[in-house]
Every structure is written in structure tokens, then in C-alpha cells.
Amino acid sequence: MRRTKPRRFVVPANSSARSAPRAARYERQLPEQRRLALIAATIDCLKRYGHEGLSIRTISARAGVSVGLINHHFPNKDELIAAAYRHFNAELVAGLKAAVARAAPQPRQRLRAFLQASFSPPNLDRDVLAAWVVFWGMYRHSRAIQRVHGENYESYVELVHGLLAELIRDERPRGTSVNLRFIAMGLSALLDGLWLEWCLEPANVRPAEAVALCESWIDNLCRGADSSRLE
Amino acid sequence: MRRTKPRRFVVPANSSARSAPRAARYERQLPEQRRLALIAATIDCLKRYGHEGLSIRTISARAGVSVGLINHHFPNKDELIAAAYRHFNAELVAGLKAAVARAAPQPRQRLRAFLQASFSPPNLDRDVLAAWVVFWGMYRHSRAIQRVHGENYESYVELVHGLLAELIRDERPRGTSVNLRFIAMGLSALLDGLWLEWCLEPANVRPAEAVALCESWIDNLCRGADSSRLE
DNA sequence: TGCCTTACTGTACGATCGTTCAACAACGGC
DNA sequence: GCCGTTGTTGAACGATCGTACAGTAAGGCA
């Protein structure tokens, strides 16, 4: 709601302050740069303080700007958070894709690189995973978060699908078939679950063990031990 | 901080109101009953409105009591939420154990009952899972939540361990061995991950498929297809 | 019946929330 | 040097937060 009361009288700057050569009080930035800085500050606050760090004042303080600036670059707080979620998602997928691209060309090596990247810094960070959980917690009740989730989760699923398809084409015995959708669903679920468990109690899950668990699971399914019930 | 201003003059009830036979304005409850009702209201608000439903006013309104009553039964909001988390956890484990107890005595049937209970109401409810995610989101920064998590997660892990141990004793070929800790970790991770995926996008995961995925995974490991790398 | 304990109410407080907007000022173009 | 554009500030708003506590009244007991 708009303010209705008149503003108080504003005392003008005195002449001495006006005549002295003043240092610049702030630096103007291009809108795109400032937006990125605000998004970075949002993610940083989320990692540090969890859900309670997502206040306009906390974020603007961390970004080193005034409280009013956020609403100059974003229509409201939800849109800022959604933008932060988009950035967060995009960075994750980009990092994983880069790790895969650096790996040897064999499907197995590429998949291993993907798994190892998933279970090593910067992804395997309690702060990062805490941020994920906060985003998930908003998913149900925030249209903006839902929209971004839909946009970016696609690309993650595609990545997992592609890696598994390569592997199956390479290693699967001729004449047998698997249900790729199920395997991909299971792998991403296993990944998420292990992530989550490590986040809640890091002592329970060692990263190398998590990778081994995932690989073992894929091995079993690819060898076709029993995927009939999954068709 | 304590209030310093004096309270306003309180108008006494007029004589007609005092002399008329008044209906009881509220019903006194035993502390334990009231505590349970407040905990139930807290969980209900959490399911309905997510993190934003966890305000004293929202909870007390749903419980049908005044704002002040919560602090009469709980020292502060965090302790109420921790108590709700404890109740939530306990109900989950109790429900799962009851489902297992109702099943046929064969380890395989008992495990299947456990899985099916995990992926059917009341556990497989988007609201329930949304509540979990909110609790997880608080884990990092709330001592009370950490404490309760430690208390109750134990019993969940023990349940999974026990069911798997039965199954392995029954079905595992003689002379082979598996690492129970790994299998239990993987199973609970797979469960959590599938839960989470169903919560975020129910269309992607059908409950029966989730159960089948878990069973297939256990089958493979129990058959000892390859658990050497997990030792 | 009157009394006492205590579950309970409801207002007030101070803090903090997201948002608004008049004023300020940095900086490119002239 | 001046001007116009616009990125930026910061105080103030109204709402809402968790908590405190003076006061009310329900219900058991003598």
C-alpha cells in the first residue's frame, strides 16, 4: 500500500559539504552486472544462514548496496530468489557438463566423471546442499520457483539420460533391453538421496563410497541382472 | 525486552454480563493433551502452508487457542517445532513398523510391506514430504532440530538394517558376504531420493515403480552380482 | 459455597519484514 | 561546465513476527 502521510522536511546539505571535493559515495554499475552481484549475494546468504538469510536487508548488506536497490533491479523478492535459483541450477549443470567434457571419451569414464563431480566440491558442500533444501521447501508454494525448476531440471535429466544411453549402447549385451527412463530415475534418486544423507550427517556417507554405490547400481542394471520387472 | 510503558486502563465487565449465566468461554485441558493438540496444529500448518505456516498466530488459530497459550506450554517457538518434528518422525517409524508387523513373516514380504508403506498414504503425500523438506532446511541452523534428528533417525536406520539383515540371512548364497551398512545406506538414499522426486514432480514417479526400483536394487545386491567393490 | 490453583486470554511491545519513493548523485554527451 | 538520464540511497510505511505478562475464569476441593 502506498504511503499517505507527507514526508518530513528534509534538511539540505550545508554549504561546506557542498563545496568540498567529495569522494564518490558509490559506483554505478550496468544493470546486468548489478543483477548478477545481487544474485550472488542471495546465494551466499542462503548458504550461510539458510532460510533466515533470505531477507532483503541481509542480502543487500552482503552485496554492499542499500535496501532500496533490490527493488530497482527486481520487481520483488520472490523474483530475486527465483533468479538465484535459476543461476544456482545453471551453475550446477554447467559444472557437471564441464567435468564430463574433461573426462576420457569412453562412456564409462564420462559417467564416472559425472558421479565424481557430483560428490566432490563445489557440489558436495553442506552449505550448497542446505541451499537446495531451502529451494525445495519453497517449491510447493512459489510459482516462480516452480517455473524455474521446470526450466532447468530438464537439462539435468537430459544429461543423466545421455550419459546412461551412451553406456548402455556400449556395454549392454546385444539383444537385451533396458528401460532407460527407470534407470535414469533411479540413478538421479540415488544421487539425490546420498547427497541428502551426506548433508544431514556427513560421517555416514563417504564421497568415494557414494560414487561406488552409484556405479555398482548401474553395473547391475546394465548387466541385465534383473530389469524385467522394470519394463 | 520487557515492556516499560504502563498498561491501559482495563474496563471492567459490566454488571449485566456479570450477573447473566455465561457459557464457558473455553475449556481447560490437561497440559499433555494441550501440548499434543498444539503439536498436531503445528504439523497441520506446516503441511498446508509450508515454512510460512510456522508462525505462532497461524498455529494458535488452527489449534483454536489464543496466541499466548503456546508460550505457556512451550518455552519458545523452536521447542514447539522440535516437538512437532519428534512427533512427525515417531509417527512415520511407528506406521512403517506396523505395516511390517502386519505382513507375512517371510523377510521378503516384510521388506515389501515396508517399501509399499513408504510409497503409499499417509507417507506418500506431497504435504508430508513438503513438511520433511522444511525440517531438513532447518537442520543446519537449529540445535533443537539436530537433537531430535539424532534421536529418531537411529530407529529408522535400525528398522531398515533389520529388514535387510533378515533378507540376506534368508536369500543370500552360503559363503558370500555383503556389506550391510552400504546396502542399507543405499536403500534409504534411494527411498529418500524417490520420495523427493515424487514430491517435486509426482508425474515422474509412480509409487509402484518406485517400489519395483527398490526391490530390483535389493535383488541385485543380494544376488551378489557385484558387491566386491563395496567391501 | 467460597477459595485456590493454574490453564488460558488478549493486548501491547519492540524488532524486523518487504516495499515505496522523494531525493541524491554518478557519469556520458554536449 | 552544464544537463539529462538513471542507478542508487535511505528513511518511512504498514504488516507481521515472537514474546511478555496483567488479568480472567474454569474446575477441583474443602
PDB file of all heavy atoms in Angstrom, chain A residues 145-160:
ATOM      1  N   ILE A 145       9.394 -20.360  -8.277  1.00  0.00           N
ATOM      2  CA  ILE A 145      10.330 -21.468  -8.099  1.00  0.00           C
ATOM      3  C   ILE A 145       9.916 -22.651  -8.976  1.00  0.00           C
ATOM      4  O   ILE A 145      10.753 -23.306  -9.603  1.00  0.00           O
ATOM      5  CB  ILE A 145      10.386 -21.881  -6.612  1.00  0.00           C
ATOM      6  CG1 ILE A 145      11.010 -20.766  -5.770  1.00  0.00           C
ATOM      7  CG2 ILE A 145      11.175 -23.172  -6.433  1.00  0.00           C
ATOM      8  CD1 ILE A 145      12.481 -20.567  -5.983  1.00  0.00           C
ATOM      9  N   GLN A 146       8.639 -22.897  -9.043  1.00  0.00           N
ATOM     10  CA  GLN A 146       8.153 -23.998  -9.877  1.00  0.00           C
ATOM     11  C   GLN A 146       8.554 -23.790 -11.339  1.00  0.00           C
ATOM     12  O   GLN A 146       9.009 -24.706 -12.011  1.00  0.00           O
ATOM     13  CB  GLN A 146       6.633 -24.102  -9.771  1.00  0.00           C
ATOM     14  CG  GLN A 146       6.140 -24.647  -8.441  1.00  0.00           C
ATOM     15  CD  GLN A 146       4.643 -24.500  -8.288  1.00  0.00           C
ATOM     16  OE1 GLN A 146       3.908 -24.338  -9.257  1.00  0.00           O
ATOM     17  NE2 GLN A 146       4.188 -24.543  -7.047  1.00  0.00           N
ATOM     18  N   ARG A 147       8.355 -22.572 -11.802  1.00  0.00           N
ATOM     19  CA  ARG A 147       8.663 -22.260 -13.197  1.00  0.00           C
ATOM     20  C   ARG A 147      10.146 -22.525 -13.486  1.00  0.00           C
ATOM     21  O   ARG A 147      10.500 -23.219 -14.428  1.00  0.00           O
ATOM     22  CB  ARG A 147       8.307 -20.792 -13.456  1.00  0.00           C
ATOM     23  CG  ARG A 147       8.654 -20.294 -14.830  1.00  0.00           C
ATOM     24  CD  ARG A 147       7.938 -18.970 -15.133  1.00  0.00           C
ATOM     25  NE  ARG A 147       7.800 -18.105 -13.986  1.00  0.00           N
ATOM     26  CZ  ARG A 147       8.751 -17.295 -13.527  1.00  0.00           C
ATOM     27  NH1 ARG A 147       9.932 -17.266 -14.109  1.00  0.00           N
ATOM     28  NH2 ARG A 147       8.527 -16.517 -12.488  1.00  0.00           N
ATOM     29  N   VAL A 148      11.009 -22.008 -12.634  1.00  0.00           N
ATOM     30  CA  VAL A 148      12.446 -22.183 -12.840  1.00  0.00           C
ATOM     31  C   VAL A 148      12.822 -23.656 -12.748  1.00  0.00           C
ATOM     32  O   VAL A 148      13.632 -24.156 -13.524  1.00  0.00           O
ATOM     33  CB  VAL A 148      13.242 -21.366 -11.807  1.00  0.00           C
ATOM     34  CG1 VAL A 148      14.723 -21.663 -11.916  1.00  0.00           C
ATOM     35  CG2 VAL A 148      12.976 -19.889 -12.014  1.00  0.00           C
ATOM     36  N   HIS A 149      12.229 -24.344 -11.795  1.00  0.00           N
ATOM     37  CA  HIS A 149      12.523 -25.768 -11.656  1.00  0.00           C
ATOM     38  C   HIS A 149      12.222 -26.501 -12.959  1.00  0.00           C
ATOM     39  O   HIS A 149      13.031 -27.297 -13.438  1.00  0.00           O
ATOM     40  CB  HIS A 149      11.704 -26.355 -10.510  1.00  0.00           C
ATOM     41  CG  HIS A 149      11.968 -27.808 -10.267  1.00  0.00           C
ATOM     42  ND1 HIS A 149      13.033 -28.253  -9.511  1.00  0.00           N
ATOM     43  CD2 HIS A 149      11.318 -28.915 -10.686  1.00  0.00           C
ATOM     44  CE1 HIS A 149      13.025 -29.566  -9.478  1.00  0.00           C
ATOM     45  NE2 HIS A 149      11.990 -29.993 -10.170  1.00  0.00           N
ATOM     46  N   GLY A 150      11.062 -26.188 -13.516  1.00  0.00           N
ATOM     47  CA  GLY A 150      10.684 -26.831 -14.774  1.00  0.00           C
ATOM     48  C   GLY A 150      11.694 -26.559 -15.876  1.00  0.00           C
ATOM     49  O   GLY A 150      12.083 -27.463 -16.622  1.00  0.00           O
ATOM     50  N   GLU A 151      12.157 -25.302 -15.927  1.00  0.00           N
ATOM     51  CA  GLU A 151      13.115 -24.925 -16.976  1.00  0.00           C
ATOM     52  C   GLU A 151      14.419 -25.717 -16.860  1.00  0.00           C
ATOM     53  O   GLU A 151      14.914 -26.269 -17.838  1.00  0.00           O
ATOM     54  CB  GLU A 151      13.446 -23.434 -16.867  1.00  0.00           C
ATOM     55  CG  GLU A 151      12.298 -22.497 -17.207  1.00  0.00           C
ATOM     56  CD  GLU A 151      12.638 -21.057 -16.829  1.00  0.00           C
ATOM     57  OE1 GLU A 151      13.818 -20.779 -16.566  1.00  0.00           O
ATOM     58  OE2 GLU A 151      11.705 -20.228 -16.769  1.00  0.00           O
ATOM     59  N   ASN A 152      14.971 -25.748 -15.655  1.00  0.00           N
ATOM     60  CA  ASN A 152      16.339 -26.231 -15.514  1.00  0.00           C
ATOM     61  C   ASN A 152      16.468 -27.712 -15.199  1.00  0.00           C
ATOM     62  O   ASN A 152      17.501 -28.315 -15.491  1.00  0.00           O
ATOM     63  CB  ASN A 152      17.065 -25.425 -14.424  1.00  0.00           C
ATOM     64  CG  ASN A 152      17.442 -24.049 -14.909  1.00  0.00           C
ATOM     65  OD1 ASN A 152      16.566 -23.252 -15.270  1.00  0.00           O
ATOM     66  ND2 ASN A 152      18.728 -23.785 -14.973  1.00  0.00           N
ATOM     67  N   TYR A 153      15.457 -28.283 -14.606  1.00  0.00           N
ATOM     68  CA  TYR A 153      15.568 -29.692 -14.267  1.00  0.00           C
ATOM     69  C   TYR A 153      15.642 -30.532 -15.534  1.00  0.00           C
ATOM     70  O   TYR A 153      16.345 -31.537 -15.574  1.00  0.00           O
ATOM     71  CB  TYR A 153      14.384 -30.121 -13.404  1.00  0.00           C
ATOM     72  CG  TYR A 153      14.560 -31.455 -12.736  1.00  0.00           C
ATOM     73  CD1 TYR A 153      15.579 -31.640 -11.803  1.00  0.00           C
ATOM     74  CD2 TYR A 153      13.730 -32.518 -13.043  1.00  0.00           C
ATOM     75  CE1 TYR A 153      15.761 -32.861 -11.194  1.00  0.00           C
ATOM     76  CE2 TYR A 153      13.904 -33.746 -12.430  1.00  0.00           C
ATOM     77  CZ  TYR A 153      14.912 -33.919 -11.510  1.00  0.00           C
ATOM     78  OH  TYR A 153      15.096 -35.136 -10.918  1.00  0.00           O
ATOM     79  N   GLU A 154      14.940 -30.069 -16.557  1.00  0.00           N
ATOM     80  CA  GLU A 154      15.019 -30.691 -17.876  1.00  0.00           C
ATOM     81  C   GLU A 154      16.464 -31.011 -18.267  1.00  0.00           C
ATOM     82  O   GLU A 154      16.799 -32.132 -18.626  1.00  0.00           O
ATOM     83  CB  GLU A 154      14.455 -29.747 -18.940  1.00  0.00           C
ATOM     84  CG  GLU A 154      12.957 -29.641 -18.988  1.00  0.00           C
ATOM     85  CD  GLU A 154      12.308 -30.854 -19.620  1.00  0.00           C
ATOM     86  OE1 GLU A 154      12.650 -31.215 -20.742  1.00  0.00           O
ATOM     87  OE2 GLU A 154      11.439 -31.443 -18.934  1.00  0.00           O
ATOM     88  N   SER A 155      17.287 -29.976 -18.210  1.00  0.00           N
ATOM     89  CA  SER A 155      18.643 -30.127 -18.723  1.00  0.00           C
ATOM     90  C   SER A 155      19.441 -31.110 -17.878  1.00  0.00           C
ATOM     91  O   SER A 155      20.294 -31.832 -18.389  1.00  0.00           O
ATOM     92  CB  SER A 155      19.351 -28.770 -18.765  1.00  0.00           C
ATOM     93  OG  SER A 155      19.396 -28.214 -17.472  1.00  0.00           O
ATOM     94  N   TYR A 156      19.138 -31.160 -16.577  1.00  0.00           N
ATOM     95  CA  TYR A 156      19.819 -32.127 -15.719  1.00  0.00           C
ATOM     96  C   TYR A 156      19.432 -33.551 -16.117  1.00  0.00           C
ATOM     97  O   TYR A 156      20.285 -34.426 -16.280  1.00  0.00           O
ATOM     98  CB  TYR A 156      19.472 -31.866 -14.257  1.00  0.00           C
ATOM     99  CG  TYR A 156      20.119 -32.826 -13.291  1.00  0.00           C
ATOM    100  CD1 TYR A 156      21.462 -32.700 -12.949  1.00  0.00           C
ATOM    101  CD2 TYR A 156      19.394 -33.879 -12.738  1.00  0.00           C
ATOM    102  CE1 TYR A 156      22.060 -33.583 -12.078  1.00  0.00           C
ATOM    103  CE2 TYR A 156      19.988 -34.774 -11.864  1.00  0.00           C
ATOM    104  CZ  TYR A 156      21.326 -34.616 -11.535  1.00  0.00           C
ATOM    105  OH  TYR A 156      21.916 -35.506 -10.682  1.00  0.00           O
ATOM    106  N   VAL A 157      18.136 -33.760 -16.276  1.00  0.00           N
ATOM    107  CA  VAL A 157      17.654 -35.087 -16.651  1.00  0.00           C
ATOM    108  C   VAL A 157      18.228 -35.499 -17.999  1.00  0.00           C
ATOM    109  O   VAL A 157      18.643 -36.642 -18.198  1.00  0.00           O
ATOM    110  CB  VAL A 157      16.116 -35.109 -16.674  1.00  0.00           C
ATOM    111  CG1 VAL A 157      15.608 -36.402 -17.282  1.00  0.00           C
ATOM    112  CG2 VAL A 157      15.565 -34.931 -15.266  1.00  0.00           C
ATOM    113  N   GLU A 158      18.274 -34.556 -18.919  1.00  0.00           N
ATOM    114  CA  GLU A 158      18.852 -34.856 -20.236  1.00  0.00           C
ATOM    115  C   GLU A 158      20.294 -35.317 -20.109  1.00  0.00           C
ATOM    116  O   GLU A 158      20.734 -36.239 -20.799  1.00  0.00           O
ATOM    117  CB  GLU A 158      18.802 -33.612 -21.132  1.00  0.00           C
ATOM    118  CG  GLU A 158      17.515 -33.483 -21.920  1.00  0.00           C
ATOM    119  CD  GLU A 158      17.470 -32.172 -22.692  1.00  0.00           C
ATOM    120  OE1 GLU A 158      18.558 -31.649 -23.050  1.00  0.00           O
ATOM    121  OE2 GLU A 158      16.360 -31.657 -22.908  1.00  0.00           O
ATOM    122  N   LEU A 159      21.025 -34.646 -19.259  1.00  0.00           N
ATOM    123  CA  LEU A 159      22.429 -35.013 -19.065  1.00  0.00           C
ATOM    124  C   LEU A 159      22.547 -36.450 -18.568  1.00  0.00           C
ATOM    125  O   LEU A 159      23.298 -37.265 -19.127  1.00  0.00           O
ATOM    126  CB  LEU A 159      23.076 -34.042 -18.065  1.00  0.00           C
ATOM    127  CG  LEU A 159      24.520 -34.285 -17.660  1.00  0.00           C
ATOM    128  CD1 LEU A 159      25.430 -34.253 -18.878  1.00  0.00           C
ATOM    129  CD2 LEU A 159      24.976 -33.242 -16.637  1.00  0.00           C
ATOM    130  N   VAL A 160      21.796 -36.773 -17.535  1.00  0.00           N
ATOM    131  CA  VAL A 160      21.844 -38.130 -16.980  1.00  0.00           C
ATOM    132  C   VAL A 160      21.399 -39.147 -18.037  1.00  0.00           C
ATOM    133  O   VAL A 160      22.040 -40.187 -18.225  1.00  0.00           O
ATOM    134  CB  VAL A 160      20.945 -38.227 -15.727  1.00  0.00           C
ATOM    135  CG1 VAL A 160      20.906 -39.655 -15.211  1.00  0.00           C
ATOM    136  CG2 VAL A 160      21.442 -37.294 -14.644  1.00  0.00           C
TER     137      VAL A 160
END
